[in-house]
Amino acid sequence: MTSLVITGLFAAIVVASFIAAPRRATVEGFFGGKTAGQAPGLLVLVLSQVTTWIFARSLMNSAILGYYYGFPGTLAYAAYYLSFLSGGYIVAQLRKRGAGSVQEWLRAQFGGAGARSYNVVIALRLLSEVFANLLVVGLIFAAVMPDVAHVSTIAIISVAVLGLAYSAWGGLSAALRTDVVQMSVFLVILLAATFYLIASPEFSFVAVLGAEGASGTRPGWVLLAVALLQVFSYPAHDPVMMDRGFVADEATTKRAFLHAFWLSTLCIFLFGLFGIQASLMGAAYEGQLLGTWSAMFPSWVFILLMVSLLVSALSTLDSALSSSARLVVEEFAWAPRSLMGGRIVMVLFMIAGGVLTLWGNATLFDAVAVSGTASMFLTPVMLAVFVLGLRVAVWSYLGAFAAAIIGAFLYFARGWESVAAILPEAHKYEQLLVICCVVLAVGFAAVFGGARRVAPSGLD
């Protein structure tokens, strides 16, 4: 019965998304987000920013980190949402310099090598978004329909096809409009489930704030340090956020980033409470917490949690696909700037993300850690240019880029014997912290070793 209700509610949300998608697709709407020639307003932009950043993987990460590391674990993941503040600053600096995207600014600063290296990182980021959200869909249906053969694969394919259908119709304009519907539903669901949790006699905010988690708080505090090191560059490598920084006027965009910050942080923290509470009640960890929650909560609360995850997955998929189309068509120029060109790119990214779900890695935070580390080459570069007004040499930029990519690879391959030999024998998050510190040290040395002061002009 539970599985039928979850499937029915999710199907209704998919239908609502189709209805909300624009009836008439245009090239400008597909790649630029305008509907009938109009840029999105403040409410649309805020809800779109939030729903694309509190995606299913993030909700699960917040809850799982809360389960294992208590309040510090959830706090560490919530710290990544400071990205809306640093992202708003980055967008303002780019627009101040007349740039219409991160790539345009990098191309002006460092030529084709600058834009191409950045594009490689964000292509991997977008692919990981498609993969991770499809993976969560598979995990959910495997948890609620354990007796159905191949249910995970069937669910992944079904959601991929449905999400692709309305995304490929309207591109970014469809993503923006459907985000409003999906975020509105998500907020109602999350608030209802949270009200039940807080009102239950077993819940205590004092206990939550002092929660040790199933594995102790130390890794949570370490991960908080990692998040604070990565948070300045993190939004710059997220094309979903950056694309939304250039679709409305500057005043609306600035306000949207500020409102998106507090709203998304609140949502992540509230969802993390469910993981923390599970550890406080001594519940056994089962299936990315999905099995744990099914035993802990009444069926209606479990249904709300599952539907909220599915809605978040759907909303992120359409945004990741629209950004993928813009990247390949407008930046790589590998496909014509047409509706058909953009749709072909979306299909290819969805297929690639679906294939990656067969890889078997269900550690959801790994993609965040790896991509966040890879993005750190931008921290010394942006500080040098935006804050100190310096001109950075191309070799310096590429040196910082190489350090970040090597660091990301080392964390990804930490289980390999050859890589483990050069990393400290410590918890994986402590290894990640060391890697991030080294990446930043090398990056700053490279950038300031080849920087010089110039008078600001154009895209400098």
Side-chain angles (χ1 to χ4, degrees), residues 40-43 45-46 95 248-259:
L42 178 63
L43 180 62
L45 201 52
V46 170
R95 296 182 72 152
D249 62 85
E250 293 187 40
T252 299
T253 301
K254 180 179 179 180
R255 292 164 61 199
F257 272 85
L258 290 173
H259 288 305

mmCIF file of all heavy atoms in Angstrom, residues 40-43 45-46 95 248-259:
data_model
loop_
_atom_site.group_PDB
_atom_site.id
_atom_site.type_symbol
_atom_site.label_atom_id
_atom_site.label_comp_id
_atom_site.label_asym_id
_atom_site.label_seq_id
_atom_site.Cartn_x
_atom_site.Cartn_y
_atom_site.Cartn_z
ATOM 1 N N PRO A 40 12.614 35.565 -15.554
ATOM 2 C CA PRO A 40 11.892 35.120 -14.361
ATOM 3 C C PRO A 40 11.911 36.165 -13.255
ATOM 4 O O PRO A 40 12.890 36.904 -13.094
ATOM 5 C CB PRO A 40 12.655 33.849 -13.943
ATOM 6 C CG PRO A 40 14.014 34.023 -14.516
ATOM 7 C CD PRO A 40 13.808 34.746 -15.815
ATOM 8 N N GLY A 41 10.830 36.221 -12.471
ATOM 9 C CA GLY A 41 10.752 37.149 -11.354
ATOM 10 C C GLY A 41 11.454 36.609 -10.123
ATOM 11 O O GLY A 41 12.012 35.506 -10.128
ATOM 12 N N LEU A 42 11.405 37.374 -9.028
ATOM 13 C CA LEU A 42 12.127 37.022 -7.807
ATOM 14 C C LEU A 42 11.676 35.676 -7.237
ATOM 15 O O LEU A 42 12.506 34.819 -6.917
ATOM 16 C CB LEU A 42 11.938 38.123 -6.756
ATOM 17 C CG LEU A 42 12.596 37.858 -5.393
ATOM 18 C CD1 LEU A 42 14.104 37.756 -5.534
ATOM 19 C CD2 LEU A 42 12.218 38.967 -4.399
ATOM 20 N N LEU A 43 10.361 35.473 -7.107
ATOM 21 C CA LEU A 43 9.863 34.234 -6.504
ATOM 22 C C LEU A 43 10.280 33.017 -7.322
ATOM 23 O O LEU A 43 10.729 32.008 -6.763
ATOM 24 C CB LEU A 43 8.341 34.284 -6.368
ATOM 25 C CG LEU A 43 7.691 33.045 -5.738
ATOM 26 C CD1 LEU A 43 8.189 32.859 -4.310
ATOM 27 C CD2 LEU A 43 6.168 33.155 -5.774
ATOM 28 N N LEU A 45 12.818 32.729 -9.327
ATOM 29 C CA LEU A 45 14.269 32.537 -9.252
ATOM 30 C C LEU A 45 14.678 31.943 -7.910
ATOM 31 O O LEU A 45 15.518 31.029 -7.850
ATOM 32 C CB LEU A 45 14.980 33.878 -9.474
ATOM 33 C CG LEU A 45 16.448 33.829 -9.916
ATOM 34 C CD1 LEU A 45 16.644 32.932 -11.115
ATOM 35 C CD2 LEU A 45 16.955 35.236 -10.191
ATOM 36 N N VAL A 46 14.069 32.424 -6.827
ATOM 37 C CA VAL A 46 14.396 31.890 -5.494
ATOM 38 C C VAL A 46 14.024 30.416 -5.389
ATOM 39 O O VAL A 46 14.838 29.575 -4.985
ATOM 40 C CB VAL A 46 13.680 32.693 -4.392
ATOM 41 C CG1 VAL A 46 13.821 31.987 -3.038
ATOM 42 C CG2 VAL A 46 14.238 34.100 -4.295
ATOM 43 N N ARG A 95 29.328 40.138 -13.472
ATOM 44 C CA ARG A 95 28.462 41.090 -14.179
ATOM 45 C C ARG A 95 29.060 42.489 -14.148
ATOM 46 O O ARG A 95 28.918 43.257 -15.111
ATOM 47 C CB ARG A 95 27.060 41.054 -13.568
ATOM 48 C CG ARG A 95 26.377 39.707 -13.749
ATOM 49 C CD ARG A 95 24.980 39.657 -13.193
ATOM 50 N NE ARG A 95 24.039 40.432 -13.999
ATOM 51 C CZ ARG A 95 22.745 40.167 -14.101
ATOM 52 N NH1 ARG A 95 22.224 39.123 -13.451
ATOM 53 N NH2 ARG A 95 21.954 40.913 -14.841
ATOM 54 N N ALA A 248 18.173 37.145 -14.886
ATOM 55 C CA ALA A 248 17.333 38.263 -14.441
ATOM 56 C C ALA A 248 18.214 39.488 -14.227
ATOM 57 O O ALA A 248 19.450 39.415 -14.317
ATOM 58 C CB ALA A 248 16.590 37.888 -13.156
ATOM 59 N N ASP A 249 17.598 40.635 -13.924
ATOM 60 C CA ASP A 249 18.378 41.846 -13.691
ATOM 61 C C ASP A 249 19.195 41.711 -12.410
ATOM 62 O O ASP A 249 18.940 40.839 -11.566
ATOM 63 C CB ASP A 249 17.459 43.065 -13.615
ATOM 64 C CG ASP A 249 16.482 42.976 -12.451
ATOM 65 O OD1 ASP A 249 16.855 43.353 -11.328
ATOM 66 O OD2 ASP A 249 15.348 42.496 -12.665
ATOM 67 N N GLU A 250 20.171 42.597 -12.218
ATOM 68 C CA GLU A 250 21.121 42.457 -11.115
ATOM 69 C C GLU A 250 20.457 42.566 -9.747
ATOM 70 O O GLU A 250 20.799 41.823 -8.820
ATOM 71 C CB GLU A 250 22.235 43.499 -11.264
ATOM 72 C CG GLU A 250 23.128 43.250 -12.476
ATOM 73 C CD GLU A 250 24.323 44.181 -12.513
ATOM 74 O OE1 GLU A 250 24.902 44.441 -11.439
ATOM 75 O OE2 GLU A 250 24.675 44.650 -13.609
ATOM 76 N N ALA A 251 19.504 43.487 -9.581
ATOM 77 C CA ALA A 251 18.853 43.668 -8.282
ATOM 78 C C ALA A 251 18.052 42.426 -7.898
ATOM 79 O O ALA A 251 18.123 41.946 -6.759
ATOM 80 C CB ALA A 251 17.948 44.894 -8.311
ATOM 81 N N THR A 252 17.293 41.896 -8.853
ATOM 82 C CA THR A 252 16.511 40.684 -8.589
ATOM 83 C C THR A 252 17.425 39.510 -8.286
ATOM 84 O O THR A 252 17.159 38.714 -7.369
ATOM 85 C CB THR A 252 15.628 40.342 -9.807
ATOM 86 O OG1 THR A 252 14.727 41.433 -10.049
ATOM 87 C CG2 THR A 252 14.834 39.068 -9.574
ATOM 88 N N THR A 253 18.513 39.380 -9.028
ATOM 89 C CA THR A 253 19.451 38.278 -8.830
ATOM 90 C C THR A 253 20.073 38.341 -7.443
ATOM 91 O O THR A 253 20.178 37.311 -6.756
ATOM 92 C CB THR A 253 20.555 38.322 -9.901
ATOM 93 O OG1 THR A 253 19.955 38.225 -11.197
ATOM 94 C CG2 THR A 253 21.546 37.184 -9.706
ATOM 95 N N LYS A 254 20.487 39.520 -7.004
ATOM 96 C CA LYS A 254 21.098 39.669 -5.684
ATOM 97 C C LYS A 254 20.133 39.252 -4.585
ATOM 98 O O LYS A 254 20.497 38.503 -3.663
ATOM 99 C CB LYS A 254 21.538 41.119 -5.471
ATOM 100 C CG LYS A 254 22.194 41.364 -4.122
ATOM 101 C CD LYS A 254 22.632 42.816 -3.986
ATOM 102 C CE LYS A 254 23.276 43.056 -2.618
ATOM 103 N NZ LYS A 254 23.717 44.484 -2.474
ATOM 104 N N ARG A 255 18.903 39.706 -4.666
ATOM 105 C CA ARG A 255 17.900 39.343 -3.649
ATOM 106 C C ARG A 255 17.593 37.850 -3.700
ATOM 107 O O ARG A 255 17.397 37.210 -2.660
ATOM 108 C CB ARG A 255 16.625 40.162 -3.869
ATOM 109 C CG ARG A 255 16.796 41.655 -3.577
ATOM 110 C CD ARG A 255 15.657 42.465 -4.158
ATOM 111 N NE ARG A 255 14.374 42.081 -3.600
ATOM 112 C CZ ARG A 255 13.205 42.359 -4.169
ATOM 113 N NH1 ARG A 255 13.175 43.006 -5.347
ATOM 114 N NH2 ARG A 255 12.087 42.003 -3.585
ATOM 115 N N ALA A 256 17.569 37.289 -4.895
ATOM 116 C CA ALA A 256 17.284 35.856 -5.039
ATOM 117 C C ALA A 256 18.344 35.011 -4.348
ATOM 118 O O ALA A 256 18.024 34.026 -3.660
ATOM 119 C CB ALA A 256 17.188 35.483 -6.515
ATOM 120 N N PHE A 257 19.611 35.368 -4.496
ATOM 121 C CA PHE A 257 20.675 34.611 -3.857
ATOM 122 C C PHE A 257 20.578 34.689 -2.334
ATOM 123 O O PHE A 257 20.809 33.695 -1.635
ATOM 124 C CB PHE A 257 22.043 35.112 -4.330
ATOM 125 C CG PHE A 257 22.537 34.444 -5.587
ATOM 126 C CD1 PHE A 257 22.149 34.912 -6.834
ATOM 127 C CD2 PHE A 257 23.379 33.357 -5.529
ATOM 128 C CE1 PHE A 257 22.593 34.299 -7.999
ATOM 129 C CE2 PHE A 257 23.838 32.730 -6.682
ATOM 130 C CZ PHE A 257 23.435 33.204 -7.919
ATOM 131 N N LEU A 258 20.245 35.857 -1.817
ATOM 132 C CA LEU A 258 20.127 36.013 -0.363
ATOM 133 C C LEU A 258 18.982 35.179 0.198
ATOM 134 O O LEU A 258 19.133 34.472 1.207
ATOM 135 C CB LEU A 258 19.919 37.489 -0.010
ATOM 136 C CG LEU A 258 21.125 38.412 -0.232
ATOM 137 C CD1 LEU A 258 20.737 39.869 0.002
ATOM 138 C CD2 LEU A 258 22.274 38.027 0.704
ATOM 139 N N HIS A 259 17.822 35.230 -0.446
ATOM 140 C CA HIS A 259 16.677 34.461 0.036
ATOM 141 C C HIS A 259 16.898 32.957 -0.151
ATOM 142 O O HIS A 259 16.466 32.146 0.685
ATOM 143 C CB HIS A 259 15.399 34.907 -0.685
ATOM 144 C CG HIS A 259 14.914 36.263 -0.267
ATOM 145 N ND1 HIS A 259 14.664 36.598 1.042
ATOM 146 C CD2 HIS A 259 14.640 37.379 -0.988
ATOM 147 C CE1 HIS A 259 14.249 37.844 1.117
ATOM 148 N NE2 HIS A 259 14.232 38.349 -0.100
#
